[in-house]
């Protein structure tokens, strides 16, 4: 893939946000001007300038960084072998609810074959052609072609038991004894499953299940891989410390049917994204410039290093994506009010920085239409994540007066647009602890070892060669009737650190650089 180089970045203490890149060529052909490291230093200069010491950031916090030696329209290419090395270390989580099975299957079709797939369903009914039983069977049939796949239903009792055994009780609804409803909860479950059953995969991405353009899914996954590859290049070249990296997708367009004209309008942003992006841009504004600097506030399509996924606290429901812009600031904040969110303190606060890459794709994103009430809930949840968790922040790089004024403006906007009344606050999202605090060995032990042919319609299934790396086969554990953790016994133990280091060393030697996560 070939990308336009970003012309600037903005540092905010431990957080550096890159200006939007754009996919300008899906399958580039190498030319004499395309050295595999061409563009790496440019990306490094732009991105790493936001990661300098606090003594050097005061001026950068007032103006965007730019590389004036880089001509406008400069590009950088990432080639298939580079993409494949990242994709084969990636898990793609597809959270879904009541989408038609054929639509979900189209999404699965678009995921590159090197990626493992986890389908997390919260479908409200089991039976019928579009029930979650059919979703599980679809994934099972798809994985007969040699794909690694896992299906889990959000209401599967064993999943709630596994979280309880791992010490994460907040995600379990005490009334039903199952995992709470919500997109954020489904993604949280997907991360736990990915770390437990694909421990050697270094990246995790998310794709919404209602996408009706399978080709765009392929582009999203390759865009993730390309973003990680560029950061990997620049780290190897500069020798800088590796940081947490997130790649967030801005759709090429979002086609909408215009009932008045009868035509399809290729709008740039969705109804909720326009609102959330506007307020994030005001939060991260520099001298009032670049109103469209943030384009991915509601990015359902995004990916991150697995280490980042494990160390970030996660918001519930539709607040999860906007909150990801706030959490890096809270995690590293020196303020005691920010060190604990909902009583959850980070397991450790280290020197790692967070780099966010924004990439605009070539493909449009076409999905089902949603009603105005649903859109209102989405943007209200997103603004609530910003409103409640940034207002108490003393994170470096953000002006307290700007934060206070912005919170007042968000509240007024929500009142005027019917999300809340004058006496109410924006919805306060529930925040779940980072999974590096959880006992994921116990989580996995409760669910049991992966076993191809497992009873998928029961709520959990493993398909394809997902269990090939495990030392022992399944003994038929984890039946849907099993309700006690004592009924589950797993002989799995994680691969030794030495074997993982050898594998990473092999990758490093083959591509002439050190791996992104060592």
């Amino acid at each position: 893939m070939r990308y336009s180089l970003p012309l600037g970045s903005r540092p905010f203490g431990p957080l550096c946000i890159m200006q939007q890149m754009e996919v300008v060529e899906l399958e580039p052909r190498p030319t004499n001007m395309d050295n595999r490291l061409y563009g790496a230093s440019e990306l490094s200069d732009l991105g790493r300038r936001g990661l300098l010491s606090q003594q050097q950031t005061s001026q950068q916090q007032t103006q965007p960084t730019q590389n004036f030696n880089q001509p406008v329209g400069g590009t950088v290419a990432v080639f298939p072998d580079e993409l494949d090395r990242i994709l084969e270390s990636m898990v793609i989580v597809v959270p879904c609810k009541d989408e038609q099975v054929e639509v979900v299957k189209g999404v699965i079709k678009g995921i590159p074959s090197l990626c493992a797939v986890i389908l997390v369903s919260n479908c409200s009914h089991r039976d019928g052609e579009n029930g979650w039983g059919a979703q599980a069977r679809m994934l099972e049939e798809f994985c007969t072609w040699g794909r690694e796949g896992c299906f889990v239903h959000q209401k599967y009792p064993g999943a709630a038991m596994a979280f309880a055994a791992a010490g994460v009780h907040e995600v379990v609804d005490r009334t039903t004894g199952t995992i709470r409803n919500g997109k954020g909860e489904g993604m949280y479950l997907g991360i736990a499953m990915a770390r437990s059953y694909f421990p050697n995969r270094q990246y995790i991405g998310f794709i919404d299940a209602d996408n009706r353009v399978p080709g765009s899914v392929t582009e999203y996954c390759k865009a993730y891989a390309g973003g990680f590859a560029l950061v990997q290049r620049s780290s190897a070249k500069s020798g800088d410390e590796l940081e947490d990296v997130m790649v967030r997708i801005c759709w090429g367009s979002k086609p909408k049917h215009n009932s008045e004209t009868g035509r399809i309008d290729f709008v740039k942003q969705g109804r909720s994204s326009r609102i959330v992006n506007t307020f994030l841009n005001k939060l991260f504004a520099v001298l009032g410039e670049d109103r469209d600097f943030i384009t991915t506030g509601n990015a359902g399509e995004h990916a991150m290093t697995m280490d980042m996924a494990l160390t970030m606290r996660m918001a519930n429901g539709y607040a999860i994506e906007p909150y990801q812009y706030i959490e890096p600031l809270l995690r590293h904040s020196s303020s005691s009010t920010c060190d604990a969110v909902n009583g959850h303190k980070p397991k450790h606060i280290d020197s790692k920085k967070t780099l966010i890459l924004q990439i605009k794709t070539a493909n449009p994103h076409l999905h089902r239409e949603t009603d105005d009430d649903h859109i209102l809930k989405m943007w209200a949840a997103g603004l609530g994540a910003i409103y409640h968790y940034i207002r108490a922040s003393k994170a470096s790089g953000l002006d307290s007066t700007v934060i206070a004024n912005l919170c007042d403006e968000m509240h007024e906007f929500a009142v005027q647009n019917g999300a809340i009344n004058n006496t109410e606050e924006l919805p306060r999202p529930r925040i779940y602890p980072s999974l590096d605090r959880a006992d994921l060995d116990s989580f996995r032990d409760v669910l049991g070892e992966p076993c191809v042919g497992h009873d998928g319609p029961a709520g959990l299934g493993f398909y394809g060669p997902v269990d090939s790396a495990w030392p022992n086969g399944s003994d038929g554990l984890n039946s849907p009737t099993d309700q006690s953790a004592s009924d589950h016994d797993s002989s799995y133990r994680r691969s030794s650190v030495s074997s993982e280091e050898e594998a990473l060393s092999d990758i490093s030697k083959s591509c002439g650089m050190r791996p992104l996560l060592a």
Side-chain angles (χ1 to χ4, degrees):
M1 302 187 81
R2 186 179 297 280
Y3 305 91
S4 62
L5 281 168
L7 297 179
S9 64
R10 292 183 184 171
F12 298 92
L15 174 64
C16 181
I17 306 171
M18 301 290 290
Q19 192 174 46
Q20 178 181 275
M21 306 166 65
E22 184 173 347
V23 175
V24 296
E25 193 175 11
L26 293 172
E27 296 290 339
R29 179 178 181 178
T31 69
N32 291 334
M33 295 183 63
D34 273 319
N35 182 292
R36 292 280 170 112
L37 289 180
Y38 178 76
S41 60
E42 286 83 352
L43 183 67
S44 177
D45 288 344
L46 292 170
R48 308 304 164 133
R49 286 178 186 175
L51 307 179
L52 301 176
S53 64
Q54 290 298 318
Q55 291 81 3
Q56 296 172 293
T57 58
S58 58
Q59 182 177 358
Q60 294 166 336
Q61 289 166 359
T62 61
Q63 59 184 7
T65 59
Q66 292 189 357
N67 184 344
F68 296 101
N69 294 321
Q70 177 61 38
V72 175
T75 66
V76 59
V78 182
F79 297 95
D81 58 338
E82 296 177 275
L83 295 176
D84 287 350
R85 276 191 285 271
I86 304 294
L87 292 171
E88 66 185 0
S89 293
M90 187 179 296
V91 180
I92 298 295
V93 176
V94 181
C96 67
K97 198 171 188 324
D98 293 323
E99 288 79 16
Q100 295 177 356
V101 168
E102 283 304 308
V103 174
V104 181
K105 186 176 182 179
V107 172
I108 303 297
K109 286 179 181 179
I111 298 173
S113 60
L114 293 173
C115 299
V117 180
I118 299 178
L119 181 59
V120 181
S121 175
N122 197 21
C123 187
S124 56
H125 54 287
R126 170 175 176 171
D127 301 318
E129 63 179 359
N130 291 311
W132 57 265
Q135 293 174 347
R137 290 190 296 272
M138 175 274 294
L139 183 61
E140 180 179 20
E141 292 170 2
F142 192 85
C143 289
T144 58
W145 302 336
R147 299 291 298 271
E148 289 184 294
C150 171
F151 174 87
V152 61
H153 195 276
Q154 203 160 319
K155 295 300 182 181
Y156 176 57
M161 293 169 55
F163 270 125
V168 186
H169 301 278
E170 297 89 338
V171 76
V172 179
D173 188 320
R174 295 181 180 180
T175 302
T176 64
T178 58
I179 293 175
R180 298 178 186 274
N181 289 320
K183 180 182 181 182
E185 286 77 357
M187 292 169 61
Y188 194 68
L189 173 58
I191 295 170
M193 295 290 293
R195 185 64 183 91
S196 297
Y197 291 102
F198 302 96
N200 294 321
R201 302 264 176 166
Q202 298 170 293
Y203 312 93
I204 184 167
F206 302 91
I207 304 284
D208 286 347
D210 60 351
N211 192 329
R212 296 176 182 273
V213 185
S216 67
V217 174
T218 306
E219 185 185 6
Y220 298 156
C221 295
K222 289 185 176 181
Y224 298 158
F228 291 129
L230 290 175
V231 176
Q232 186 179 26
R233 281 186 195 176
S234 56
S235 293
K237 188 171 182 179
S238 67
D240 288 344
E241 181 183 359
L242 298 167
E243 67 270 348
D244 290 333
V245 181
M246 178 183 293
V247 180
R248 298 173 73 89
I249 297 298
C250 173
W251 307 321
S253 63
K254 191 172 183 181
K256 298 284 187 183
H257 178 259
N258 189 320
S259 58
E260 295 182 0
T261 64
R263 298 179 179 180
I264 300 296
D265 294 333
F266 291 86
V267 299
K268 292 183 178 181
Q269 297 185 77
R271 290 171 288 171
S272 178
S273 296
R274 283 196 296 268
I275 295 170
V276 174
N277 286 340
T278 295
F279 285 101
L280 280 174
N281 273 301
K282 291 181 178 182
L283 177 64
F284 293 110
V286 175
L287 298 179
E289 299 176 353
D290 296 336
R291 295 179 181 178
D292 296 327
F293 188 86
I294 304 292
T295 61
T296 59
N298 269 359
E301 281 69 35
H302 63 279
M304 64 190 87
T305 55
M306 187 69 76
D307 185 57
M308 182 177 185
L310 293 172
T311 56
M312 285 186 72
R313 290 165 292 199
M314 298 286 173
N316 74 307
Y318 294 115
I320 186 168
E321 287 106 357
Y323 179 75
Q324 289 167 345
Y325 271 101
I326 308 302
E327 165 64 10
L329 300 175
L330 302 180
R331 184 163 42 135
H332 292 264
S333 174
S334 60
S335 167
S336 60
T337 59
C338 296
D339 286 346
V341 175
N342 285 12
H344 310 310
K345 290 186 178 181
K347 187 175 182 179
H348 61 277
I349 298 178
D350 53 28
S351 59
K352 254 189 178 180
K353 309 300 183 181
T354 297
L355 178 63
I356 294 180
L357 277 68
Q358 302 181 96
I359 299 179
K360 182 179 180 180
T361 59
N363 275 281
H365 183 96
L366 181 63
H367 66 183
R368 66 180 179 182
E369 287 290 332
T370 51
D371 58 37
D372 291 341
D373 184 61
H374 179 78
I375 296 299
L376 184 149
K377 291 178 181 178
M378 286 184 65
W379 64 253
L383 296 189
I386 304 168
Y387 178 88
H388 288 285
Y389 295 110
I390 201 62
R391 67 185 308 178
S393 172
K394 294 182 181 178
S396 57
L398 293 175
D399 186 273
S400 58
T401 302
V402 171
I403 291 174
N405 292 338
L406 182 65
C407 288
D408 290 341
E409 188 176 346
M410 283 190 290
H411 185 272
E412 182 179 354
F413 178 87
V415 171
Q416 291 177 349
N417 288 274
I420 57 175
N421 61 44
N422 269 317
T423 61
E424 294 178 320
E425 285 191 321
L426 281 156
R428 186 185 188 94
R430 184 179 292 107
I431 304 298
Y432 299 119
S434 60
L435 285 169
D436 64 345
R437 298 171 55 91
D439 182 359
L440 292 181
D441 287 333
S442 294
F443 177 92
R444 183 194 56 245
D445 288 343
V446 170
L447 288 180
E449 294 180 3
C451 172
V452 172
H454 191 61
D455 187 8
L460 178 67
F462 301 96
Y463 313 116
V466 66
D467 65 342
S468 60
W470 293 64
N472 297 314
S474 171
D475 295 323
L477 301 175
N478 216 29
S479 163
T481 59
D482 291 340
Q483 297 297 313
S484 172
S486 63
D487 294 335
H488 304 274
D489 179 30
S490 171
S491 60
Y492 168 74
R493 294 296 179 266
R494 296 184 187 275
S495 302
S496 67
V497 174
S498 61
S499 64
E500 289 184 1
E501 289 177 345
E502 290 173 4
L504 290 174
S505 177
D506 291 341
I507 294 173
S508 177
K509 290 176 182 178
S510 68
C511 61
M513 63 188 75
R514 69 186 183 190
L516 181 56
L517 293 180

